[in-house]
Amino acid sequence: MADSSMHTVHIGERPGTPLGAIHVAVWEDRLIGVSVGRSLIQFKQELAQRVGNSVVTDSVEAVTPFLLALDQYLGGERHSFELPIEWRVLTPFQADVLRLVDMIPYGETRTYGQIAKALKNPNAARAVGRANATNPMPIVLPCHRVIGSRGNLRGYNAPDGVNTKAWLLKLEGSLPPRQMALFNL
């Protein structure tokens, strides 16, 4: 995506969510990043690596619909995101994986192996896991809905990792019962 045509990335922040601070980044009215529980400085560094040396500014107007959608989701009022995504910030394989992940309904889960099979590459479960682990738009592209083949939770790209994943799955009512006790939720 590093491209000289990208000029301004708008960033917004929602501090104090149940998951800590959430930041969003928008370019030309399309989402390019969501950061869960990280600092604004860390998020800007991640964005610079992903999109190149772009000018990053804050703009409440550009990011408000994205932050509102996340607020509604975290409050249990929204079950899907119809937000415009800038798919070009992803590798082609990652985009293929995350498009399938985006189709997992609220309250349901899939395994890494199921996603790999849907890609017609049943041996790619680990690569599917890596694509999820590097998802630059967690929650909106719901990689938390992808679990291990035995119903176990694998990593999640947030400071509290698997605990954050468990919290999101519990919010959606899809935390596997035997995992509930492990996370005291």
PDB file of all heavy atoms in Angstrom, residues 105-136:
ATOM      1  N   PRO A 105     -20.672 -15.033  10.825  1.00  0.00           N
ATOM      2  CA  PRO A 105     -21.719 -14.272  11.514  1.00  0.00           C
ATOM      3  C   PRO A 105     -21.410 -14.035  12.991  1.00  0.00           C
ATOM      4  O   PRO A 105     -20.729 -14.830  13.638  1.00  0.00           O
ATOM      5  CB  PRO A 105     -22.961 -15.169  11.378  1.00  0.00           C
ATOM      6  CG  PRO A 105     -22.657 -16.078  10.235  1.00  0.00           C
ATOM      7  CD  PRO A 105     -21.169 -16.294  10.276  1.00  0.00           C
ATOM      8  N   TYR A 106     -21.935 -12.954  13.491  1.00  0.00           N
ATOM      9  CA  TYR A 106     -21.882 -12.618  14.915  1.00  0.00           C
ATOM     10  C   TYR A 106     -22.385 -13.820  15.703  1.00  0.00           C
ATOM     11  O   TYR A 106     -23.396 -14.433  15.358  1.00  0.00           O
ATOM     12  CB  TYR A 106     -22.777 -11.405  15.157  1.00  0.00           C
ATOM     13  CG  TYR A 106     -22.800 -10.878  16.573  1.00  0.00           C
ATOM     14  CD1 TYR A 106     -21.969  -9.846  16.946  1.00  0.00           C
ATOM     15  CD2 TYR A 106     -23.673 -11.397  17.522  1.00  0.00           C
ATOM     16  CE1 TYR A 106     -21.998  -9.323  18.236  1.00  0.00           C
ATOM     17  CE2 TYR A 106     -23.714 -10.890  18.814  1.00  0.00           C
ATOM     18  CZ  TYR A 106     -22.871  -9.853  19.162  1.00  0.00           C
ATOM     19  OH  TYR A 106     -22.905  -9.345  20.436  1.00  0.00           O
ATOM     20  N   GLY A 107     -21.686 -14.159  16.770  1.00  0.00           N
ATOM     21  CA  GLY A 107     -22.117 -15.252  17.622  1.00  0.00           C
ATOM     22  C   GLY A 107     -21.703 -16.631  17.128  1.00  0.00           C
ATOM     23  O   GLY A 107     -22.091 -17.633  17.719  1.00  0.00           O
ATOM     24  N   GLU A 108     -20.926 -16.688  16.051  1.00  0.00           N
ATOM     25  CA  GLU A 108     -20.448 -17.965  15.539  1.00  0.00           C
ATOM     26  C   GLU A 108     -18.927 -17.940  15.459  1.00  0.00           C
ATOM     27  O   GLU A 108     -18.316 -16.874  15.463  1.00  0.00           O
ATOM     28  CB  GLU A 108     -21.018 -18.247  14.149  1.00  0.00           C
ATOM     29  CG  GLU A 108     -22.520 -18.453  14.152  1.00  0.00           C
ATOM     30  CD  GLU A 108     -23.056 -18.830  12.782  1.00  0.00           C
ATOM     31  OE1 GLU A 108     -22.288 -19.326  11.932  1.00  0.00           O
ATOM     32  OE2 GLU A 108     -24.261 -18.613  12.565  1.00  0.00           O
ATOM     33  N   THR A 109     -18.352 -19.123  15.385  1.00  0.00           N
ATOM     34  CA  THR A 109     -16.906 -19.240  15.219  1.00  0.00           C
ATOM     35  C   THR A 109     -16.607 -20.210  14.084  1.00  0.00           C
ATOM     36  O   THR A 109     -17.478 -20.993  13.678  1.00  0.00           O
ATOM     37  CB  THR A 109     -16.212 -19.758  16.499  1.00  0.00           C
ATOM     38  OG1 THR A 109     -16.742 -21.039  16.841  1.00  0.00           O
ATOM     39  CG2 THR A 109     -16.386 -18.781  17.665  1.00  0.00           C
ATOM     40  N   ARG A 110     -15.394 -20.137  13.601  1.00  0.00           N
ATOM     41  CA  ARG A 110     -14.867 -21.089  12.623  1.00  0.00           C
ATOM     42  C   ARG A 110     -13.462 -21.443  13.087  1.00  0.00           C
ATOM     43  O   ARG A 110     -12.832 -20.678  13.814  1.00  0.00           O
ATOM     44  CB  ARG A 110     -14.799 -20.491  11.211  1.00  0.00           C
ATOM     45  CG  ARG A 110     -16.104 -20.014  10.631  1.00  0.00           C
ATOM     46  CD  ARG A 110     -17.049 -21.180  10.301  1.00  0.00           C
ATOM     47  NE  ARG A 110     -18.261 -20.713   9.649  1.00  0.00           N
ATOM     48  CZ  ARG A 110     -19.360 -20.298  10.277  1.00  0.00           C
ATOM     49  NH1 ARG A 110     -19.394 -20.271  11.590  1.00  0.00           N
ATOM     50  NH2 ARG A 110     -20.411 -19.900   9.607  1.00  0.00           N
ATOM     51  N   THR A 111     -12.956 -22.558  12.600  1.00  0.00           N
ATOM     52  CA  THR A 111     -11.584 -22.928  12.931  1.00  0.00           C
ATOM     53  C   THR A 111     -10.643 -22.450  11.829  1.00  0.00           C
ATOM     54  O   THR A 111     -11.075 -22.170  10.701  1.00  0.00           O
ATOM     55  CB  THR A 111     -11.435 -24.455  13.088  1.00  0.00           C
ATOM     56  OG1 THR A 111     -11.636 -25.079  11.809  1.00  0.00           O
ATOM     57  CG2 THR A 111     -12.396 -25.004  14.137  1.00  0.00           C
ATOM     58  N   TYR A 112      -9.375 -22.399  12.172  1.00  0.00           N
ATOM     59  CA  TYR A 112      -8.367 -22.042  11.176  1.00  0.00           C
ATOM     60  C   TYR A 112      -8.419 -23.031  10.014  1.00  0.00           C
ATOM     61  O   TYR A 112      -8.305 -22.650   8.852  1.00  0.00           O
ATOM     62  CB  TYR A 112      -6.970 -22.025  11.814  1.00  0.00           C
ATOM     63  CG  TYR A 112      -6.844 -21.002  12.916  1.00  0.00           C
ATOM     64  CD1 TYR A 112      -6.959 -21.362  14.254  1.00  0.00           C
ATOM     65  CD2 TYR A 112      -6.619 -19.663  12.618  1.00  0.00           C
ATOM     66  CE1 TYR A 112      -6.853 -20.426  15.272  1.00  0.00           C
ATOM     67  CE2 TYR A 112      -6.517 -18.708  13.626  1.00  0.00           C
ATOM     68  CZ  TYR A 112      -6.637 -19.098  14.950  1.00  0.00           C
ATOM     69  OH  TYR A 112      -6.554 -18.166  15.942  1.00  0.00           O
ATOM     70  N   GLY A 113      -8.627 -24.298  10.338  1.00  0.00           N
ATOM     71  CA  GLY A 113      -8.728 -25.333   9.308  1.00  0.00           C
ATOM     72  C   GLY A 113      -9.930 -25.137   8.398  1.00  0.00           C
ATOM     73  O   GLY A 113      -9.847 -25.361   7.188  1.00  0.00           O
ATOM     74  N   GLN A 114     -11.052 -24.733   8.953  1.00  0.00           N
ATOM     75  CA  GLN A 114     -12.242 -24.477   8.127  1.00  0.00           C
ATOM     76  C   GLN A 114     -11.992 -23.329   7.149  1.00  0.00           C
ATOM     77  O   GLN A 114     -12.415 -23.388   5.996  1.00  0.00           O
ATOM     78  CB  GLN A 114     -13.449 -24.166   9.009  1.00  0.00           C
ATOM     79  CG  GLN A 114     -13.992 -25.378   9.735  1.00  0.00           C
ATOM     80  CD  GLN A 114     -15.073 -25.018  10.731  1.00  0.00           C
ATOM     81  OE1 GLN A 114     -14.949 -24.047  11.490  1.00  0.00           O
ATOM     82  NE2 GLN A 114     -16.143 -25.803  10.756  1.00  0.00           N
ATOM     83  N   ILE A 115     -11.301 -22.292   7.622  1.00  0.00           N
ATOM     84  CA  ILE A 115     -10.984 -21.170   6.735  1.00  0.00           C
ATOM     85  C   ILE A 115     -10.035 -21.646   5.635  1.00  0.00           C
ATOM     86  O   ILE A 115     -10.214 -21.312   4.461  1.00  0.00           O
ATOM     87  CB  ILE A 115     -10.373 -19.985   7.525  1.00  0.00           C
ATOM     88  CG1 ILE A 115     -11.349 -19.472   8.594  1.00  0.00           C
ATOM     89  CG2 ILE A 115      -9.929 -18.861   6.587  1.00  0.00           C
ATOM     90  CD1 ILE A 115     -12.608 -18.842   8.080  1.00  0.00           C
ATOM     91  N   ALA A 116      -9.036 -22.445   6.008  1.00  0.00           N
ATOM     92  CA  ALA A 116      -8.089 -22.974   5.020  1.00  0.00           C
ATOM     93  C   ALA A 116      -8.828 -23.801   3.968  1.00  0.00           C
ATOM     94  O   ALA A 116      -8.558 -23.666   2.763  1.00  0.00           O
ATOM     95  CB  ALA A 116      -7.010 -23.803   5.706  1.00  0.00           C
ATOM     96  N   LYS A 117      -9.764 -24.653   4.393  1.00  0.00           N
ATOM     97  CA  LYS A 117     -10.538 -25.458   3.440  1.00  0.00           C
ATOM     98  C   LYS A 117     -11.373 -24.568   2.527  1.00  0.00           C
ATOM     99  O   LYS A 117     -11.495 -24.836   1.332  1.00  0.00           O
ATOM    100  CB  LYS A 117     -11.430 -26.455   4.174  1.00  0.00           C
ATOM    101  CG  LYS A 117     -10.659 -27.620   4.743  1.00  0.00           C
ATOM    102  CD  LYS A 117     -11.570 -28.556   5.504  1.00  0.00           C
ATOM    103  CE  LYS A 117     -10.728 -29.605   6.227  1.00  0.00           C
ATOM    104  NZ  LYS A 117     -11.534 -30.388   7.167  1.00  0.00           N
ATOM    105  N   ALA A 118     -11.956 -23.523   3.079  1.00  0.00           N
ATOM    106  CA  ALA A 118     -12.756 -22.602   2.262  1.00  0.00           C
ATOM    107  C   ALA A 118     -11.894 -21.900   1.212  1.00  0.00           C
ATOM    108  O   ALA A 118     -12.387 -21.527   0.147  1.00  0.00           O
ATOM    109  CB  ALA A 118     -13.451 -21.575   3.154  1.00  0.00           C
ATOM    110  N   LEU A 119     -10.601 -21.760   1.525  1.00  0.00           N
ATOM    111  CA  LEU A 119      -9.654 -21.175   0.557  1.00  0.00           C
ATOM    112  C   LEU A 119      -9.194 -22.199  -0.469  1.00  0.00           C
ATOM    113  O   LEU A 119      -8.382 -21.892  -1.328  1.00  0.00           O
ATOM    114  CB  LEU A 119      -8.421 -20.628   1.289  1.00  0.00           C
ATOM    115  CG  LEU A 119      -8.609 -19.378   2.121  1.00  0.00           C
ATOM    116  CD1 LEU A 119      -7.392 -19.138   2.998  1.00  0.00           C
ATOM    117  CD2 LEU A 119      -8.868 -18.187   1.218  1.00  0.00           C
ATOM    118  N   LYS A 120      -9.690 -23.434  -0.327  1.00  0.00           N
ATOM    119  CA  LYS A 120      -9.289 -24.563  -1.172  1.00  0.00           C
ATOM    120  C   LYS A 120      -7.810 -24.893  -1.002  1.00  0.00           C
ATOM    121  O   LYS A 120      -7.120 -25.281  -1.935  1.00  0.00           O
ATOM    122  CB  LYS A 120      -9.644 -24.301  -2.638  1.00  0.00           C
ATOM    123  CG  LYS A 120     -11.128 -24.064  -2.826  1.00  0.00           C
ATOM    124  CD  LYS A 120     -11.559 -24.120  -4.244  1.00  0.00           C
ATOM    125  CE  LYS A 120     -13.005 -23.839  -4.487  1.00  0.00           C
ATOM    126  NZ  LYS A 120     -13.961 -23.839  -3.482  1.00  0.00           N
ATOM    127  N   ASN A 121      -7.336 -24.708   0.230  1.00  0.00           N
ATOM    128  CA  ASN A 121      -5.963 -25.008   0.588  1.00  0.00           C
ATOM    129  C   ASN A 121      -5.970 -25.573   2.016  1.00  0.00           C
ATOM    130  O   ASN A 121      -5.568 -24.906   2.960  1.00  0.00           O
ATOM    131  CB  ASN A 121      -5.107 -23.735   0.500  1.00  0.00           C
ATOM    132  CG  ASN A 121      -3.636 -24.028   0.596  1.00  0.00           C
ATOM    133  OD1 ASN A 121      -3.230 -25.138   0.925  1.00  0.00           O
ATOM    134  ND2 ASN A 121      -2.826 -23.016   0.340  1.00  0.00           N
ATOM    135  N   PRO A 122      -6.435 -26.837   2.166  1.00  0.00           N
ATOM    136  CA  PRO A 122      -6.644 -27.385   3.511  1.00  0.00           C
ATOM    137  C   PRO A 122      -5.390 -27.492   4.368  1.00  0.00           C
ATOM    138  O   PRO A 122      -5.494 -27.625   5.588  1.00  0.00           O
ATOM    139  CB  PRO A 122      -7.241 -28.770   3.233  1.00  0.00           C
ATOM    140  CG  PRO A 122      -6.943 -29.065   1.825  1.00  0.00           C
ATOM    141  CD  PRO A 122      -6.796 -27.764   1.116  1.00  0.00           C
ATOM    142  N   ASN A 123      -4.223 -27.387   3.775  1.00  0.00           N
ATOM    143  CA  ASN A 123      -2.977 -27.461   4.548  1.00  0.00           C
ATOM    144  C   ASN A 123      -2.499 -26.080   5.013  1.00  0.00           C
ATOM    145  O   ASN A 123      -1.401 -25.970   5.539  1.00  0.00           O
ATOM    146  CB  ASN A 123      -1.885 -28.147   3.733  1.00  0.00           C
ATOM    147  CG  ASN A 123      -2.242 -29.589   3.437  1.00  0.00           C
ATOM    148  OD1 ASN A 123      -2.804 -30.287   4.274  1.00  0.00           O
ATOM    149  ND2 ASN A 123      -1.947 -30.031   2.226  1.00  0.00           N
ATOM    150  N   ALA A 124      -3.297 -25.055   4.809  1.00  0.00           N
ATOM    151  CA  ALA A 124      -2.863 -23.683   5.098  1.00  0.00           C
ATOM    152  C   ALA A 124      -3.368 -23.152   6.436  1.00  0.00           C
ATOM    153  O   ALA A 124      -3.389 -21.937   6.639  1.00  0.00           O
ATOM    154  CB  ALA A 124      -3.308 -22.764   3.962  1.00  0.00           C
ATOM    155  N   ALA A 125      -3.737 -24.030   7.357  1.00  0.00           N
ATOM    156  CA  ALA A 125      -4.282 -23.556   8.635  1.00  0.00           C
ATOM    157  C   ALA A 125      -3.306 -22.633   9.362  1.00  0.00           C
ATOM    158  O   ALA A 125      -3.716 -21.614   9.925  1.00  0.00           O
ATOM    159  CB  ALA A 125      -4.668 -24.737   9.520  1.00  0.00           C
ATOM    160  N   ARG A 126      -2.012 -22.958   9.343  1.00  0.00           N
ATOM    161  CA  ARG A 126      -1.038 -22.079  10.017  1.00  0.00           C
ATOM    162  C   ARG A 126      -0.928 -20.734   9.311  1.00  0.00           C
ATOM    163  O   ARG A 126      -0.809 -19.699   9.962  1.00  0.00           O
ATOM    164  CB  ARG A 126       0.336 -22.744  10.075  1.00  0.00           C
ATOM    165  CG  ARG A 126       0.398 -23.820  11.112  1.00  0.00           C
ATOM    166  CD  ARG A 126       1.797 -24.421  11.165  1.00  0.00           C
ATOM    167  NE  ARG A 126       1.814 -25.539  12.066  1.00  0.00           N
ATOM    168  CZ  ARG A 126       2.615 -25.635  13.105  1.00  0.00           C
ATOM    169  NH1 ARG A 126       3.487 -24.676  13.355  1.00  0.00           N
ATOM    170  NH2 ARG A 126       2.560 -26.670  13.884  1.00  0.00           N
ATOM    171  N   ALA A 127      -0.964 -20.742   7.996  1.00  0.00           N
ATOM    172  CA  ALA A 127      -0.911 -19.480   7.248  1.00  0.00           C
ATOM    173  C   ALA A 127      -2.164 -18.649   7.518  1.00  0.00           C
ATOM    174  O   ALA A 127      -2.091 -17.421   7.619  1.00  0.00           O
ATOM    175  CB  ALA A 127      -0.754 -19.753   5.749  1.00  0.00           C
ATOM    176  N   VAL A 128      -3.295 -19.306   7.662  1.00  0.00           N
ATOM    177  CA  VAL A 128      -4.533 -18.617   8.026  1.00  0.00           C
ATOM    178  C   VAL A 128      -4.362 -17.991   9.409  1.00  0.00           C
ATOM    179  O   VAL A 128      -4.755 -16.840   9.639  1.00  0.00           O
ATOM    180  CB  VAL A 128      -5.738 -19.582   7.993  1.00  0.00           C
ATOM    181  CG1 VAL A 128      -6.956 -18.980   8.687  1.00  0.00           C
ATOM    182  CG2 VAL A 128      -6.058 -19.967   6.564  1.00  0.00           C
ATOM    183  N   GLY A 129      -3.751 -18.728  10.325  1.00  0.00           N
ATOM    184  CA  GLY A 129      -3.487 -18.195  11.659  1.00  0.00           C
ATOM    185  C   GLY A 129      -2.602 -16.967  11.607  1.00  0.00           C
ATOM    186  O   GLY A 129      -2.859 -15.969  12.298  1.00  0.00           O
ATOM    187  N   ARG A 130      -1.579 -17.009  10.771  1.00  0.00           N
ATOM    188  CA  ARG A 130      -0.671 -15.857  10.637  1.00  0.00           C
ATOM    189  C   ARG A 130      -1.412 -14.652  10.041  1.00  0.00           C
ATOM    190  O   ARG A 130      -1.216 -13.514  10.477  1.00  0.00           O
ATOM    191  CB  ARG A 130       0.530 -16.238   9.780  1.00  0.00           C
ATOM    192  CG  ARG A 130       1.530 -15.150   9.630  1.00  0.00           C
ATOM    193  CD  ARG A 130       2.265 -14.940  10.945  1.00  0.00           C
ATOM    194  NE  ARG A 130       3.139 -13.789  10.815  1.00  0.00           N
ATOM    195  CZ  ARG A 130       3.337 -12.910  11.764  1.00  0.00           C
ATOM    196  NH1 ARG A 130       2.782 -13.058  12.936  1.00  0.00           N
ATOM    197  NH2 ARG A 130       4.114 -11.884  11.576  1.00  0.00           N
ATOM    198  N   ALA A 131      -2.252 -14.881   9.053  1.00  0.00           N
ATOM    199  CA  ALA A 131      -3.023 -13.787   8.445  1.00  0.00           C
ATOM    200  C   ALA A 131      -3.932 -13.139   9.487  1.00  0.00           C
ATOM    201  O   ALA A 131      -4.094 -11.917   9.511  1.00  0.00           O
ATOM    202  CB  ALA A 131      -3.834 -14.303   7.259  1.00  0.00           C
ATOM    203  N   ASN A 132      -4.512 -13.951  10.365  1.00  0.00           N
ATOM    204  CA  ASN A 132      -5.352 -13.416  11.439  1.00  0.00           C
ATOM    205  C   ASN A 132      -4.517 -12.680  12.473  1.00  0.00           C
ATOM    206  O   ASN A 132      -4.923 -11.637  12.978  1.00  0.00           O
ATOM    207  CB  ASN A 132      -6.147 -14.543  12.105  1.00  0.00           C
ATOM    208  CG  ASN A 132      -7.377 -14.892  11.324  1.00  0.00           C
ATOM    209  OD1 ASN A 132      -8.393 -14.229  11.429  1.00  0.00           O
ATOM    210  ND2 ASN A 132      -7.290 -15.930  10.523  1.00  0.00           N
ATOM    211  N   ALA A 133      -3.356 -13.223  12.789  1.00  0.00           N
ATOM    212  CA  ALA A 133      -2.486 -12.610  13.809  1.00  0.00           C
ATOM    213  C   ALA A 133      -1.997 -11.231  13.393  1.00  0.00           C
ATOM    214  O   ALA A 133      -1.680 -10.402  14.239  1.00  0.00           O
ATOM    215  CB  ALA A 133      -1.298 -13.521  14.099  1.00  0.00           C
ATOM    216  N   THR A 134      -1.939 -10.990  12.106  1.00  0.00           N
ATOM    217  CA  THR A 134      -1.460  -9.697  11.606  1.00  0.00           C
ATOM    218  C   THR A 134      -2.597  -8.847  11.038  1.00  0.00           C
ATOM    219  O   THR A 134      -2.343  -7.885  10.310  1.00  0.00           O
ATOM    220  CB  THR A 134      -0.363  -9.911  10.541  1.00  0.00           C
ATOM    221  OG1 THR A 134      -0.880 -10.726   9.482  1.00  0.00           O
ATOM    222  CG2 THR A 134       0.863 -10.571  11.145  1.00  0.00           C
ATOM    223  N   ASN A 135      -3.817  -9.187  11.384  1.00  0.00           N
ATOM    224  CA  ASN A 135      -4.993  -8.436  10.944  1.00  0.00           C
ATOM    225  C   ASN A 135      -4.884  -6.996  11.439  1.00  0.00           C
ATOM    226  O   ASN A 135      -4.896  -6.756  12.644  1.00  0.00           O
ATOM    227  CB  ASN A 135      -6.249  -9.105  11.515  1.00  0.00           C
ATOM    228  CG  ASN A 135      -7.527  -8.346  11.238  1.00  0.00           C
ATOM    229  OD1 ASN A 135      -7.543  -7.351  10.536  1.00  0.00           O
ATOM    230  ND2 ASN A 135      -8.609  -8.831  11.820  1.00  0.00           N
ATOM    231  N   PRO A 136      -4.810  -6.015  10.538  1.00  0.00           N
ATOM    232  CA  PRO A 136      -4.682  -4.628  10.981  1.00  0.00           C
ATOM    233  C   PRO A 136      -6.007  -3.983  11.408  1.00  0.00           C
ATOM    234  O   PRO A 136      -6.018  -2.842  11.857  1.00  0.00           O
ATOM    235  CB  PRO A 136      -4.110  -3.922   9.756  1.00  0.00           C
ATOM    236  CG  PRO A 136      -4.632  -4.704   8.603  1.00  0.00           C
ATOM    237  CD  PRO A 136      -4.697  -6.135   9.083  1.00  0.00           C
TER     238      PRO A 136
END
